[in-house]
């Protein structure tokens, strides 16, 4: 059994069936995935709440961290007492994935170092490209069409007449009273 406390929402799927979803369900499933048959595993969040009660304190056993899906590390506790739960360490934690760390219920893995380097290089290349394109844009010559238009305007005398051909088109008149 995997136990976690977090947000859970009621959703309706395309077949009009009601279901539940949310990070509370997802993390509880990841906690469950770390255990074996008979285990009652708790996330650190739930274990902190139960530790407030003297009755439960002696039955909470720190298992350390377990890496689960999407690189999350969950700090887990095993709950067992006379005939309740499984006192054995889960197989997944026995295989070398056990790490003691401060009690943080869900903690993402640190980003790989090479991704930080790639992002830094991409940022530098983008900055250089922006500077070069700005310099090219600011130092460009005016377009030739503008210079031609300016020279044509200068050639026109102050007083001039423009003659345009006119075409007469007969329009059909509609009589509104006819």
């Amino acid at each position: 059994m995997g136990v976690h406390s977090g947000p859970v929402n009621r959703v309706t799927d395309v077949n009009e069936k009601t279901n539940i979803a949310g990070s509370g369900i997802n993390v509880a499933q990841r906690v469950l995935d770390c255990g074996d048959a008979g285990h009652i595993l708790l996330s650190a969040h739930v274990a902190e709440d139960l530790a407030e009660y003297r009755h439960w304190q002696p039955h909470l056993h720190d298992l350390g961290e377990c890496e689960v899906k999407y690189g999350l590390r969950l700090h887990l506790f095993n709950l067992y007492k006379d005939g309740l739960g499984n006192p054995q360490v889960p197989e997944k934690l026995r295989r070398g994935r056990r790490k003691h760390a401060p009690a943080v219920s869900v903690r993402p893995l640190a980003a790989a170092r090479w991704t930080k380097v790639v992002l830094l290089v991409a940022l530098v290349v983008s900055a250089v490209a922006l500077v070069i394109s700005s310099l090219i844009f600011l130092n460009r010559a005016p377009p030739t069409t503008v210079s031609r238009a300016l020279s044509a305007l200068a050639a026109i005398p102050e007083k001039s007449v423009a003659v345009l051909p006119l075409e007469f088109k007969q329009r059909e008149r509609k009589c509104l009273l006819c």
Side-chain angles (χ1 to χ4, degrees):
M1 178 184 305
V3 182
H4 178 69
S5 175
V8 176
N9 303 312
R10 187 181 343 179
V11 294
T12 305
D13 63 12
V14 294
N15 296 326
E16 299 297 322
K17 292 183 181 179
T18 303
N19 204 345
I20 55 175
S23 64
I25 296 290
N26 295 340
V27 174
Q29 179 64 48
R30 306 295 178 255
V31 172
L32 173 69
D33 292 343
C34 291
D36 297 330
H39 279 115
I40 302 173
L41 298 182
L42 311 175
S43 67
H45 183 76
V46 174
E48 287 170 6
D49 293 341
L50 279 181
E52 297 293 322
Y53 299 97
R54 276 189 249 145
H55 173 74
W56 292 108
Q57 285 177 352
H59 308 296
L60 295 172
H61 305 279
D62 189 353
L63 294 174
E65 285 189 344
C66 180
E67 185 177 329
V68 295
K69 194 172 182 181
Y70 303 122
L72 291 178
R73 288 188 179 171
L74 298 175
H75 194 102
L76 301 178
F77 289 81
N78 193 1
L79 174 67
Y80 64 87
K81 66 179 193 173
D82 305 326
L84 175 70
N86 183 348
Q88 301 296 319
V89 175
E91 180 65 31
K92 191 168 185 179
L93 291 169
R94 254 188 274 148
R95 283 186 264 153
R97 294 186 177 167
R98 182 180 173 160
K99 294 182 181 176
H100 283 283
V104 177
S105 58
V106 179
R107 185 179 58 146
L109 279 173
R113 186 178 186 113
W114 67 269
T115 57
K116 291 178 184 177
V117 172
V118 168
L119 288 175
L120 183 62
V121 168
L123 180 66
V124 169
V125 168
S126 298
V128 169
L130 180 66
V131 168
I132 290 172
S133 62
S134 297
L135 290 174
I136 290 172
F137 179 75
L138 294 174
N139 292 330
R140 65 185 168 94
T144 56
T145 55
V146 173
S147 60
R148 286 182 192 165
L150 289 175
S151 63
L153 273 174
I156 298 174
E158 282 186 38
K159 295 181 182 180
S160 62
V161 176
V163 179
L164 301 173
L166 298 176
E167 294 181 23
F168 291 101
K169 294 184 178 180
Q170 295 269 340
R171 291 188 183 172
E172 292 183 24
R173 294 188 176 240
K174 295 183 180 178
C175 180
L176 297 175
L177 300 174
C178 300

